[in-house]
Amino acid sequence: MKTNPRAQAGAADPIIHTHSQRRAILAGVCVALMAVIASVSGLNVAQQQLAVALDASQSDVIWMINIYAVTLAALLLPLGAIGDRWGRKPVLIAGLLIFGIANAAAGLSPSSGVMLAARFLSGVGAAMIMPVTLAVITSTFPAEERSKAIGIWSAVAGGGGILGMFLSALLVDVANWRWLFVLPVVLVLAAAFMVTRSVPNSREAPEGGFDVVGAISSVVAVVGFIFSLHEGPERGWSSPITLLTLLVGSAGALGFVTWELRQEAPLLDLRLFRNRGLTSGSLSLLAVFGVQAGIFIALYPYFQAVLGWSGLRSTVALMPMAVLSMASSGLAPRMAARVGARLTMVSGILLGAVGLALMAAQVSVDGGYLSVLPGMLAVGLGMGLSMTPSTEAITVSLPRERQGVASALNDITREFGTALGVALLGAVLAAGYRNAIDARLLATPTAAADAARRGIANAFAAANGAGPHSKVLIRAAQDSFVDGWRQAMWVGVAVMAVLLIYVLVRGPEAAATNEAESPSTAPIAPTGDA
């Protein structure tokens, strides 16, 4: 995953000209990518079951979900660069091995600690797999076939999340949460067989040594910032652990920026962000994917615990938002051609903020699905309108020979945004729930009240032994979850409002787009991302 435009060396192995071999290569890397993408959203549908089975609080469950995304976001850049240097095939196979073993361990987890460790290792394996799959395509496919292959890769990346949610919901409803990890293991075995047989090895000839300092400081920055966002709503923004992790993240970020600007062959060339289109597109994707991930963290427990729906029915209920997002993504280029990329991005961001505000204002226990549907539809429409021009703002900011940089930035901003969104909005939801339920448990037995404070799933489990207090406890948990939901959605509105102001002031310029598309530096057509 090359992100230094001044060190673009050719692949060691020749381009593959045999159609059947290219088809086998594409199938192998897409199956590997499917395993990674499906695992991002798979645990959302099993939040309630995980909390009860592993005696985990709502905050613990959020960490089980997010530690995968955090690890993937933190290691995506350095491990992608290692794949370029050491050889993409061995790194891909090693990643599949780690990913498969970690998912098997997660499925057998007897405790929260084992689950967290297994999810961490899954993230390490995913960070070895994801960037290499795209690099294999760009290094082995001829120019006339490359765009089509990347389009298929992008479709798998987009569809993998939806397929993962449906299959996960089905497995949870029919069997139990442990079966969620069977699918990744099966996909890994299939991908390993196909990759071993069909994918040739390739590598770059880099300038200078591997940027160890840049890699370490980038990981410290990502982990520090995400941990502080996760713990701030839980422990308080002035608590020692929140301030310490924020300080560590800030020090890592400052060190990364200072070091990278002094390197001839940096891990990430930060000078690229002088381009306002690249910067605004990256920040837009970061915020939009973060808010979207935070919404999913809240919607599944609402459907399953508050409304009492099955996992499959809950997943179907999300489809109007997903379908509208995909449809508006297809319409966004036409709108951008008429009114400009900046106005299209602004329209999408504004709709997203309105949708979050609608959900915050209208959600209730008794209102049910119809109380959140209008907000979901507005969010879906807005996300689609903002994602496509944001992605295009990144790709058109760089010439054709730097499109590998654009792809890497796309991956990093989306995965980092997902981890940030789950950490912040998930923590606000959990803290809001816990603060709201205290006043509703005054007449509840101490043991049941203590269990209920840990999360809505724990409250439902405690209600089974609460006798005459059962109905009161369940209603208190449902109302408190809705209170936490409102707080999380208003935080999302604030994030989108800040983004809206930034894009209005510093959004992509038409002149920059036209310059990027001049005959000498015309970029390839944007194809989306995972």
Side-chain angles (χ1 to χ4, degrees):
M1 188 172 63
K2 188 68 67 179
T3 58
N4 174 19
R6 291 173 295 179
Q8 297 288 330
D13 294 339
I15 296 294
I16 302 299
H17 295 284
T18 306
H19 178 71
S20 59
Q21 187 176 356
R22 289 200 305 267
R23 185 168 56 191
I25 292 170
L26 184 60
V29 297
C30 283
V31 171
L33 179 66
M34 177 74 76
V36 170
I37 298 300
S39 294
V40 173
S41 57
L43 280 191
N44 278 329
V45 73
Q47 292 181 54
Q48 310 305 302
Q49 293 87 340
L50 283 170
V52 175
L54 301 180
D55 190 26
S57 68
Q58 195 162 323
S59 180
D60 293 336
V61 173
I62 291 173
W63 266 122
M64 292 176 197
I65 295 171
N66 204 29
I67 194 170
Y68 175 81
V70 171
T71 308
L72 176 56
L75 298 179
L76 195 62
L77 187 61
L79 290 184
I82 287 175
D84 288 339
R85 290 168 172 269
W86 291 0
R88 294 172 180 124
K89 183 172 183 176
V91 170
L92 179 55
I93 292 175
L96 289 169
L97 178 63
I98 294 172
F99 190 78
I101 292 173
N103 273 277
L108 299 172
S109 294
S111 65
S112 296
V114 175
M115 174 62 78
L116 288 169
R119 291 286 286 173
F120 167 76
L121 286 178
S122 294
V124 174
M128 299 172 73
I129 295 168
M130 189 174 181
V132 172
T133 56
L134 184 58
V136 166
I137 292 174
T138 58
S139 64
T140 58
F141 277 66
E144 63 274 12
E145 295 287 336
R146 194 172 300 143
S147 180
K148 181 180 179 181
I150 293 175
I152 295 172
W153 181 92
S154 300
V156 171
I162 295 176
L163 180 62
M165 286 192 298
F166 270 106
L167 291 177
S168 298
L170 186 62
L171 288 170
V172 167
D173 288 349
V174 173
N176 60 58
W177 64 269
R178 295 188 185 277
W179 285 87
L180 293 177
F181 300 98
V182 173
L183 176 62
V185 172
V186 171
L187 290 174
V188 160
L189 292 174
F193 175 76
M194 299 166 75
V195 166
T196 303
R197 288 174 56 90
S198 61
V199 173
N201 193 20
S202 62
R203 60 171 57 90
E204 301 287 343
E207 294 180 0
F210 179 71
D211 187 2
V212 177
V213 174
I216 293 175
S217 58
S218 69
V219 171
V220 170
V222 169
V223 174
F225 280 134
I226 291 174
F227 198 93
S228 65
L229 285 177
H230 189 283
E231 296 302 313
E234 288 278 320
R235 300 173 184 262
W237 294 106
S238 60
S239 69
I241 188 65
T242 303
L243 294 176
L244 177 61
T245 52
L246 181 60
L247 180 63
V248 169
S250 300
L254 180 61
F256 179 74
V257 171
T258 303
W259 178 264
E260 294 301 285
L261 289 176
R262 298 173 59 185
Q263 300 307 300
E264 287 297 321
L267 191 67
L268 175 63
D269 191 349
L270 298 176
R271 299 171 185 84
L272 296 173
F273 289 97
R274 294 170 181 168
N275 185 300
R276 60 190 294 176
L278 186 73
T279 303
S280 61
S282 298
L283 288 175
S284 179
L285 288 180
L286 187 79
V288 167
F289 268 77
V291 169
Q292 179 177 265
I295 291 172
F296 282 133
I297 283 289
L299 277 174
Y300 268 112
Y302 177 76
F303 290 150
Q304 293 177 287
V306 177
L307 301 186
W309 290 0
S310 67
L312 189 58
R313 185 179 181 184
S314 301
T315 302
V316 172
L318 292 171
M319 287 304 102
M321 182 172 67
V323 170
L324 196 55
S325 178
M326 289 186 288
S328 59
S329 294
L331 293 175
R334 301 179 193 176
M335 182 174 174
R338 289 177 177 270
V339 302
R342 187 192 304 190
L343 188 55
T344 303
M345 289 171 64
V346 165
S347 301
I349 294 166
L350 181 60
L351 277 170
V354 169
L356 289 165
L358 284 173
M359 285 193 283
Q362 296 182 1
V363 65
S364 68
V365 177
D366 299 322
Y369 185 54
L370 292 180
S371 69
V372 298
L373 182 59
M376 288 172 57
L377 295 177
V379 167
L381 180 61
M383 295 301 179
L385 286 178
S386 57
M387 284 180 190
T388 301
S390 298
T391 301
E392 187 175 9
I394 296 174
T395 59
V396 302
S397 298
L398 300 173
R400 182 182 298 272
E401 65 271 15
R402 297 185 180 182
Q403 287 304 298
V405 182
S407 176
L409 289 175
N410 237 343
D411 286 340
I412 294 167
T413 52
R414 294 181 183 216
E415 297 303 329
F416 187 36
T418 296
L420 286 174
V422 172
L424 178 59
L425 299 188
V428 171
L429 172 64
Y433 166 88
R434 189 179 60 250
N435 294 334
I437 202 170
D438 279 335
R440 297 184 171 110
L441 298 175
L442 298 179
T444 305
T446 303
D450 289 342
R453 290 187 182 95
R454 304 185 69 203
I456 190 169
N458 310 83
F460 275 55
N464 293 329
H469 299 281
S470 176
K471 291 184 178 180
V472 174
L473 184 58
I474 290 175
R475 181 68 188 206
Q478 291 173 328
D479 287 335
S480 299
F481 183 87
V482 168
D483 287 346
W485 164 300
R486 291 194 183 103
Q487 294 177 34
M489 293 303 101
W490 284 123
V491 169
V493 171
V495 171
M496 298 298 277
V498 172
L499 176 63
L500 178 65
I501 294 171
Y502 180 86
V503 174
L504 279 170
V505 176
R506 297 287 299 172
E509 294 179 310
T513 300
N514 293 337
E515 180 183 350
E517 291 181 338
S518 62
S520 60
T521 59
I524 61 173
T527 56
D529 198 356

